Amino acid sequence: MSTVRTAVLPVAGWGTRFLPATKAIPKEMLPIVDRPCVAYVVAEAVAAGIHNIVLVTARGKTAIEDYFDRSPALELALETAGKRDLLGEVVAIARHAKIISVRQQEQRGLGHAVLQAAEVIGDHDFAVMLPDDIVDGRTWDAVGNAKVETGSSPALGQMLDVYAETGGVVVALKEVPNADTNRYGICAGIWVAADRMKVERMVEKPKPELAPSNFSIVGRYILPGSIFALLREQAPGAIGEVQITDALAVYAARGEAHGVIFKGRHFDTGNPVGLLDASLHFALHHPVYGEATRAMLTKHGQPGG
Ligand code: G1P
């Protein structure tokens, strides 16, 4: 049995890449088809058996908490209107995840955001999920039927399987073009299986010419509670922020960190093009809207479409 019970989701950011849309709503509430981005990430946690979600939040972000809460007035209205399916779905959202919020009063980087969860987590091992990173673990057969290939859950479930063997730190990995290493945490080490690296070095946002590899960290981490002591003492690193990667590098140097190349389609929804990419993907594979989306793409692909 996994000892990881809680996932921390840092959601305090301004979402400046999505202004003006994010002037009045959190970027985590921007929709992909019919549900907000953050719902895909919480669903991934739940599929991996993690039901406690700590939101590291900030002023103006209460819509996220409301989304995962019960809504008696809405439920009554749906019940009265006989909309049983929608009612079931709305109630289930609040049942599957237990939400705890902590505030990040100043934005001093990802490491600082995670540190805000210290009192809630104590010395337990825990997961961190960055909601910009969305993973679809399904694959499709020749006639378009979806099946879940991973057996557990997109990314996080696969990482928990590795963690059950290794303990310590586990991060999700993805190969990126050499020119892009300065956008990510980068890991280097020894491949102990085709999809598993024993990480020896981690560097945050290295310039391509200084990067030790081109395997980047995707926003999924399993971390030991001992990381909080390191984060409390840690000086700001890359771009003047307290970086989680710098704390993880300590575990890597001790041989206590692994990276997993996960199965599944990954989307970086932290920018409008990435969100569009994810939206098209989930719309094309949506049981209700898939066909209409394909027709729309054909229309838009034609001159004057
Ligand atoms: C953060 C992490 C970085 C990681 C990335 C994944 O960077 O600091 O190590 O590779 O998330 O999305 P950010 O996207 O906040 O700049």
Side-chain angles (χ1 to χ4, degrees):
M1 271 292 277
S2 155
T3 54
V4 178
R5 302 252 178 276
T6 307
V8 174
L9 274 61
V11 296
W14 285 106
T16 39
R17 291 195 192 117
F18 287 98
L19 281 170
T22 46
K23 191 177 166 208
I25 57 161
K27 75 169 173 179
E28 295 78 12
M29 292 301 292
L30 295 174
I32 295 177
V33 190
D34 54 359
R35 58 204 64 217
C37 288
V38 68
Y40 291 82
V41 179
V42 170
E44 180 184 334
V46 170
I50 293 179
H51 298 267
N52 297 331
I53 305 294
V54 179
L55 298 175
V56 180
T57 182
R59 188 173 296 275
K61 295 280 186 161
T62 49
I64 306 173
E65 291 151 14
D66 288 345
Y67 178 79
F68 290 105
D69 198 1
R70 294 289 295 268
S71 175
L74 173 63
E75 289 169 24
L76 183 62
L78 292 172
E79 172 124 51
T80 310
K83 298 191 170 167
R84 308 279 323 165
D85 289 357
L86 277 177
L87 175 63
E89 195 165 351
V90 163
V91 171
I93 293 164
R95 286 240 169 92
H96 286 151
K98 177 169 188 253
I99 303 290
I100 303 161
S101 297
V102 295
R103 288 266 188 150
Q104 185 184 17
Q105 296 183 339
E106 297 167 85
Q107 301 206 8
R108 290 168 46 201
L110 180 55
H112 178 255
V114 171
L115 183 55
Q116 308 312 305
E119 279 73 26
V120 179
I121 302 288
D123 56 10
H124 296 284
D125 294 359
F126 65 106
V128 171
M129 306 177 83
L130 307 187
D132 281 354
D133 286 302
I134 291 183
V135 181
D136 187 349
R138 297 170 299 173
T139 53
W140 289 268
D141 62 20
V143 289
N145 294 320
K147 52 182 180 170
V148 177
E149 192 182 57
T150 56
S152 41
S153 106
L156 193 62
Q158 299 166 53
M159 294 165 68
L160 284 170
D161 292 344
V162 171
Y163 162 85
E165 284 177 44
T166 62
V169 165
V170 179
V171 296
L173 289 182
K174 180 177 178 177
E175 197 166 7
V176 292
N178 289 323
D180 291 347
T181 57
N182 58 358
R183 293 168 48 192
Y184 303 101
I186 298 293
C187 293
I190 299 165
W191 291 99
V192 291
D195 56 357
R196 194 188 302 183
M197 178 195 283
K198 184 162 187 198
V199 181
E200 294 176 333
R201 290 182 62 200
M202 291 194 193
V203 195
E204 182 64 18
K205 299 187 173 44
K207 291 182 186 153
E209 59 273 24
L210 298 176
S213 88
N214 63 336
F215 285 91
S216 74
I217 301 174
V218 172
R220 299 288 184 274
Y221 309 79
I222 297 170
L223 304 176
S226 56
I227 198 163
F228 295 122
L230 292 175
L231 289 172
R232 273 190 201 101
E233 300 300 319
Q234 196 177 290
I239 61 170
E241 295 186 346
V242 178
Q243 297 289 354
I244 196 88
T245 308
D246 294 342
L248 300 186
V250 174
Y251 294 89
R254 287 189 211 140
E256 295 171 6
H258 286 82
V260 182
I261 306 240
F262 54 93
K263 297 187 193 79
R265 288 279 294 273
H266 164 247
F267 300 92
D268 175 2
T269 64
N271 62 82
V273 172
L275 182 65
L276 273 175
D277 190 16
S279 299
L280 271 180
H281 169 82
F282 283 100
L284 283 166
H285 294 292
H286 195 283
V288 177
Y289 307 123
E291 207 176 309
T293 310
R294 275 186 287 281
M296 244 184 276
L297 281 183
T298 308
K299 186 181 80 177
H300 287 286
Q302 287 162 355

